Amino acid sequence: MQHPKKEQTFVIIKPDGVQRSLIGEIISRFERVGLKITAMKLLVPEAEQCWKHYNKDDAWFQTKGDRIVKNREENNMPIDKPAIEYGRDIIGQLVTFMTAGPVLAMVIEGNQAVGIVTKLVGGTEPLTSDIGTIRGDYTLDSYELSGIDERAVRNLIHCSDKPEEAEREIKIWFDEKEIISYRSINEAMLYDVNLDGILE
Ligand code: CMP
């Protein structure tokens, strides 16, 4: 069994995070909690890569689409296709957004890395993500506004929501040889059982 401290997650700082000069702020939140960056690259994603990354199923499209249709009704906007199609459009809009400029892709490692990063990033919709989270502190978009303007929600960052998803997503963005296995000095304090070597 792999030691729990080796859990990996995948994170992308989206084009809005890069353009708003928030790379340093965002990375520092992962570093200061004790997580370790094991891979990192700045790139302009390919559309195909983004479609592969966002491989949502019909249930996801339907749920999201239902919400968009409800918003459109509330805003007296025309509804010219089934809800599921509005759900599919979300991914098309996301791909347009993600390919608009550089993003920073990262592999982050540590005990319960997936859950810890999800907590630090905050809820998907900036309007309701908690104060103190990355999305809660640095952005103000909402599904309602992005839906009306038919664009992707500007929520700064993507992170994997399950370890299995992290494994799948990492393979889309990184070659195995780009992920560096190394020891960080912090880990002795975070994980070691014997605290020898502190006192002289
Ligand atoms: P991300 O974390 O990159 O992964 C899934 C994306 O889908 C999410 O960010 C949002 O950009 C987008 N998303 C999820 N739910 C909705 C929604 N209801 N309306 C618009 N976009 C959404």
Side-chain angles (χ1 to χ4, degrees), residues 2-193:
Q2 179 182 264
H3 193 282
K5 73 181 179 187
K6 294 273 179 200
E7 184 170 303
Q8 290 185 330
T9 191
F10 175 70
V11 172
I12 273 202
I13 302 181
K14 297 183 185 183
D16 54 338
V18 175
Q19 290 301 316
R20 292 186 53 211
S21 308
L22 290 172
I23 289 176
E25 290 288 342
I26 292 172
I27 292 175
S28 72
R29 290 182 178 226
F30 300 134
E31 284 190 316
R32 73 187 186 187
V33 84
L35 291 164
K36 181 169 74 175
I37 297 164
T38 55
M40 180 185 278
K41 67 177 153 194
L42 190 71
L43 76 157
V44 181
E46 300 288 338
E48 197 191 327
Q49 196 171 23
C50 297
W51 280 106
K52 230 166 141 186
H53 173 85
Y54 287 114
N55 77 332
K56 304 296 185 188
D57 57 17
D58 281 353
W60 193 92
F61 295 135
Q62 188 67 51
T63 311
K64 302 292 180 187
D66 286 344
R67 169 103 178 251
I68 292 171
V69 165
K70 196 163 161 268
N71 274 341
R72 292 181 77 89
E73 281 168 357
E74 285 165 5
N75 286 289
N76 296 317
M77 292 173 73
I79 294 154
D80 42 29
K81 53 191 163 191
I84 195 164
E85 294 304 326
Y86 283 104
R88 285 203 178 96
D89 289 348
I90 291 177
I91 304 301
Q93 290 155 2
L94 256 170
V95 174
T96 304
F97 175 43
M98 294 292 284
T99 55
V103 302
L104 188 78
M106 285 175 277
V107 178
I108 292 183
E109 188 180 292
N111 184 41
Q112 304 209 317
V114 172
I116 298 284
V117 167
T118 307
K119 181 184 73 170
L120 294 173
V121 166
T124 311
E125 186 182 19
L127 179 70
T128 53
S129 38
D130 288 337
I131 296 164
T133 65
I134 295 167
R135 287 169 175 156
D137 286 355
Y138 296 118
T139 188
L140 47 57
D141 207 3
S142 64
Y143 290 152
E144 188 169 356
L145 180 61
S146 65
I148 289 171
D149 290 342
E150 300 186 1
R151 58 161 176 79
V153 67
R154 309 247 158 97
N155 63 0
L156 296 173
I157 190 163
H158 162 84
C159 62
S160 315
D161 52 15
K162 289 193 274 296
E164 313 82 80
E165 267 299 284
E167 213 182 313
R168 188 189 71 82
E169 291 173 359
I170 288 168
K171 286 194 191 118
I172 296 170
W173 298 90
F174 288 97
D175 287 337
E176 223 170 285
K177 61 177 185 319
E178 292 176 306
I179 304 168
I180 303 172
S181 181
Y182 67 99
R183 200 171 295 124
S184 121
I185 288 171
N186 283 345
E187 287 169 299
M189 194 45 65
L190 292 167
Y191 307 120
D192 275 8
V193 179

